[in-house]
Amino acid sequence: QVPLVESGGGLVQPGGSLRLSCAASRSIFNIYAMGWYRQFPGKQRELVAAITSDHATKHEASLKGRFTISRDNAKNTVYLQMDSLKPEDTAVYYCFGSSGNNWIPTYWGQGTQVTVSS
C-alpha cells in the first residue's frame, strides 16, 4: 500500500470547477489502478472515475463530460477535474489505489469534502 493524501476540496458555487489531487508518498508507477469514489451521507461509496498505469480510464457514465481523471506518474499524483458542478455533487471524495491488476480499491485516502452551494 501507498499512503494517499487528497486535497483540493472545498466550497464552490453551482457551475463552478474544482480540481482534486491525490498525492502518493512514493512512486505510483507500478500501481495498476487509481481513482476516485464519492460518498453521500448515509450511502455507500460510489465510483466517480479511475485510471490505470497506462492511462486507460473509466468514468461513472452520468459524470463523463463534466469530470475528467488524469494521472501524472512523474509527480505521483492523480487528479480529478470537476466542471459544471451541481449541488448534487456535494459529497466526500476519496482517492483509492488498487494492489492488484484490477479496478478494485484496496486502500484509501482520508477523503476531501466537496460542497456545491450558492
Side-chain angles (χ1 to χ4, degrees):
Q1 296 191 359
V2 178
L4 304 173
V5 178
E6 300 102 330
S7 62
L11 174 64
V12 63
Q13 292 188 342
S17 297
L18 284 175
R19 187 176 79 157
L20 305 183
S21 298
C22 173
S25 60
R26 53 184 185 267
S27 176
I28 64 171
F29 183 79
N30 291 320
I31 300 176
Y32 176 72
M34 298 184 69
W36 298 89
Y37 276 62
R38 66 184 182 182
Q39 188 169 24
F40 303 108
K43 302 290 186 181
Q44 290 188 330
R45 293 181 190 181
E46 60 182 43
L47 176 69
V48 175
I51 186 167
T52 65
S53 52
D54 58 355
H55 300 280
T57 63
K58 67 175 182 178
H59 293 74
E60 205 302 306
S62 66
L63 300 177
K64 197 170 183 179
R66 294 195 298 123
F67 290 16
T68 303
I69 192 168
S70 61
R71 175 171 176 159
D72 188 335
N73 288 338
K75 295 184 178 179
N76 300 330
T77 303
V78 174
Y79 302 98
L80 183 69
Q81 178 67 39
M82 304 186 295
D83 298 318
S84 302
L85 283 161
K86 305 175 181 180
E88 52 263 43
D89 294 318
T90 296
V92 179
Y93 286 70
Y94 294 91
C95 179
F96 79 89
S98 173
S99 297
N101 290 328
N102 52 53
W103 300 94
I104 299 172
T106 51
Y107 52 96
W108 300 90
Q110 82 286 356
T112 185
Q113 176 71 46
V114 171
T115 302
V116 185
S117 175
S118 55

